[in-house]
Every structure is written in C-alpha cells, then in structure tokens.
Amino acid sequence: MNVLEKIGVSTDRVLVFESTYYSLFLYLLCDPNWREKDFLIFGDRISIEFIERLKNFTKVLEDSYQFIPKPMPKILNNPYNYISRKIAQKKLFSQYDICIGHARQINNWLIDIKRIQIEDGTATHYELAHGDKKRGLVDILCLKEPNKVSRIDHFVVSKPIHLLPAFEGKVVVIDFFKLWAGKDFKQQSEILDIFNVAASDFSLIDQTCSILFTQPWSESNNYTEIKKVNGYRRLVQELGVDPSKLVIKPHPREVTDYQHHFPEAIILKSSFPCELMPILNVRVNKVISLSSTAGNCFDGFCEEIIYAGAPDYFEMPPKLRHSITKLGL
C-alpha cells in the first residue's frame, strides 16, 4: 500500500497543485501513479522551463500559465477580474475530488474539496506547531480563506513535528530515502530527468565543502540585495569557510547573481530539490542557512547543520528579523 492509499485516496479525480520543487518531489515519491494525474503549477518558485519539461512526462494544465508568477491578480488593480478569476478557479477545482500538493495555498473559500498538503518546508512545520495565521475581514471579503491550514484533511511531512492537538491524526510522516530506494532504476531516472539533475552535477563537491542555502529576503521584503549578500559573506567568513570550498544553493525565487558576488564558489541551479543531493550520496562539511529547513536532508551526510538566525550584521528590518527569530531554529 502506497502513502496516498494509506490516507484514503481512492479516486482518479485528483488535481496536483504545486508551487515548490520540494513539495512536488515528495509527491512524486508518494504516488506511483503520478503520471496519470493532472498538474496545476502556480506561483513564482517554479520556472516556465521546468513546466515545459514536466509536460514531457504527464498532463500539465494550460491554466498553469495563468497562475504564474501569481495565482491571483491584485484586487485593487481590477476588482472585476479578481472576482472572475476566483470564480474560474472554483470551477476548475470542482472537476476533481481531491487536491494534493501545496493545498494550503488554494486560498479561496469558494472551493470545497478534500485537501492533502505535501510538506513545503518551514511554513508547514510552523503552522502545524502554531496554527493558522489570523485573517482579517478584508481578506475574507476578498474570498481568501480565513483558516488555510485547518481546512487541510491530511498532511504528509518528512520528519516528526510537535503538533497542535487539532492536527493529531492528520499527519503522515514519510522517509524519502526509503521511498526513493523503493523505486526501480527507470522510476528514479524519470524523477531525475524531470528536475534535470544528474550525479555528475555534483562532481566538484566533496566532504571538505560547505553548502549555504540562501533565501529570498531581498526579493520579498523591504530589504536590499547588497545587505543580504554582505550578510552572507560575513557569515561564511565567521564560520571559517574557505571561499573555494563554498557551495551556494540559491532559493528558486531569488534573482541574485551569486557567481558575481562569490566568484570562487560553486553555484548550483535553484531548480531542483536539495534532497536529491544526499540521495545521490553527496556529503559535505557544514550546511549553513539563516532559517531554511532545506538543509535538514543532510542529517547524516554532513558534520554540522547551522541555523544562524538573523545576526545584527544582516541589518534586517524589524519585521523580517522577527519572522526569522520566531521560528526558533
């Protein structure tokens, strides 16, 4: 019995709704019949190039192009268009019995559908431990869901989490190493092809290297790129990382040219889930980030995992600093 069967998925009318490479990767591991499903890709973390590649393997709805880079237009720009899109989204989802993937981001209270959230990293962990973000009346009038997480029927996560009582019995913990090992060579090769990854991509990385997982602080906050870059530069210096042994894995939403700022470093593509690295037996010395849980996958494949939090020298605005420190990593 596969993971989805264990949580009661017994219909073919399934919509895979995804916005992150990581969540999509976990879904592909959980569902041996993923080729037969319809995929709706949304947001600004997955590239158009990736969608074109995914279409070689399964059905990707053309609606995906309307949902990139933002699932919905801004209501103030055109209220009529906004409401029309919300209604159109409801009609699209009404064709399916279950939504699997990044289901907490449907964010449309008109839609009534069974929802299975595949972990997307820090956000899923935090909300399972602390609950929904509070929504105001304006959000509700804009047809946004007041309780995104509580509408989820089941969660699939890659490690045990300290849960609020409201989520007890709704969470399934998977071992993605075990699920990967259960795939045959052809199935593994298909997943690697989807993400355009090969073991040779990591041939320059060894156990003397340290990997830095960056995050899109300057892309989505009132914060400059140079402060972000200078902060990362000082962080790796303080940790004693040799610049020629630094590996940087940018976040998919980032536009920063890290090769320009760190010319000696190995800069990886952003368009693949980092979990594929330990799966392909990539081992490093240190795994470094401010608050990204992506590095957790290197547990057992590195000497040390470091969460730096929000050091003063990053010069972050108070709201951004608080959003990082409240995670308590």
Side-chain angles (χ1 to χ4, degrees):
M1 182 180 293
N2 65 54
V3 175
L4 299 187
E5 289 172 340
K6 288 180 181 178
I7 54 180
V9 178
S10 58
T11 176
D12 292 327
R13 285 166 34 100
V14 173
L15 178 65
V16 182
F17 183 60
E18 285 290 8
S19 71
T20 75
Y21 296 112
Y22 174 46
S23 183
L24 177 58
F25 170 65
L26 292 184
Y27 165 71
L28 296 177
L29 292 181
C30 291
D31 187 359
N33 301 313
W34 60 265
R35 275 181 170 271
E36 302 166 14
K37 305 299 192 299
D38 292 353
F39 287 70
L40 179 62
I41 307 298
F42 73 99
D44 57 357
R45 299 186 185 192
I46 295 181
S47 69
I48 295 293
E49 291 77 14
F50 177 86
I51 293 177
E52 295 301 320
R53 194 161 56 248
L54 182 62
K55 287 166 67 174
N56 294 324
F57 297 86
T58 189
K59 181 181 177 181
V60 179
L61 299 182
E62 290 298 308
D63 302 76
S64 297
Y65 297 103
Q66 289 187 326
F67 281 71
I68 294 175
K70 291 291 184 182
M72 288 294 150
K74 290 185 179 296
I75 189 170
L76 294 179
N77 290 348
N78 189 328
Y80 176 80
N81 185 35
Y82 178 86
I83 299 298
S84 297
R85 284 286 302 279
K86 286 283 187 178
I87 294 172
Q89 188 185 33
K90 171 182 167 57
K91 290 180 180 178
L92 172 61
F93 276 73
S94 68
Q95 301 173 47
Y96 302 91
D97 297 323
I98 299 176
C99 174
I100 297 176
H102 207 174
R104 58 182 286 278
Q105 291 293 66
I106 292 175
N107 204 19
N108 182 344
W109 58 255
L110 296 176
I111 294 174
D112 183 19
I113 190 172
K114 185 174 181 179
R115 307 172 189 210
I116 299 174
Q117 171 71 29
I118 308 293
E119 177 188 339
D120 68 331
T122 304
T124 302
H125 294 185
Y126 186 82
E127 288 167 341
L128 284 172
H130 298 278
D132 271 304
K133 177 183 178 181
K134 302 300 181 184
R135 292 279 188 180
L137 178 61
V138 173
D139 289 323
I140 296 172
L141 292 176
C142 292
L143 305 181
K144 295 180 180 180
E145 292 178 334
N147 300 295
K148 295 196 297 183
V149 183
S150 61
R151 292 195 71 179
I152 301 296
D153 295 275
H154 293 283
F155 299 82
V156 177
V157 300
S158 63
K159 71 171 187 177
I161 298 170
H162 180 69
L163 306 172
L164 288 175
F167 301 119
E168 294 288 348
K170 290 187 173 185
V171 178
V172 175
V173 181
I174 62 169
D175 182 337
F176 62 79
F177 284 99
K178 185 176 180 179
L179 290 174
W180 177 262
K183 305 287 184 185
D184 61 31
F185 178 78
K186 179 181 178 182
Q187 292 169 330
Q188 291 179 353
S189 297
E190 283 182 335
I191 293 175
L192 291 176
D193 285 345
I194 286 173
F195 292 102
N196 196 24
V197 168
S200 58
D201 295 340
F202 313 116
S203 60
L204 298 177
I205 302 174
D206 59 31
Q207 289 179 269
T208 67
C209 293
S210 294
I211 184 167
L212 170 66
F213 288 94
T214 61
Q215 291 163 275
W217 308 127
S218 59
E219 282 76 12
S220 56
N221 299 276
N222 183 25
Y223 184 58
T224 65
E225 180 179 88
I226 193 61
K227 287 181 179 180
K228 177 182 71 173
V229 169
N230 286 341
Y232 281 132
R233 184 177 288 114
R234 180 165 170 180
L235 175 61
V236 296
Q237 287 173 347
E238 289 191 347
L239 293 173
V241 177
D242 182 337
S244 66
K245 293 295 183 179
L246 176 63
V247 181
I248 296 179
K249 174 69 165 66
H251 189 279
R253 289 182 59 203
E254 287 188 278
V255 297
T256 301
D257 180 1
Y258 282 102
Q259 196 68 75
H260 171 73
H261 297 288
F262 297 87
E264 296 181 69
I266 299 170
I267 312 298
L268 300 175
K269 295 179 296 187
S270 63
S271 56
F272 72 91
C274 65
E275 287 69 20
L276 285 172
M277 297 175 71
I279 277 177
L280 295 174
N281 200 33
V282 177
R283 297 175 182 271
V284 297
N285 181 15
K286 294 181 177 68
V287 174
I288 308 161
S289 75
L290 297 191
S291 62
S292 173
T293 57
N296 288 337
C297 66
F298 277 89
D299 187 18
F301 289 80
C302 69
E303 295 298 320
E304 186 178 12
I305 298 176
I306 300 168
Y307 294 110
D312 290 341
Y313 53 77
F314 271 83
E315 301 181 63
M316 292 179 173
K319 185 177 180 180
L320 175 56
R321 176 188 293 275
H322 174 69
S323 70
I324 296 172
T325 57
K326 74 177 183 179
L327 299 173
L329 296 172

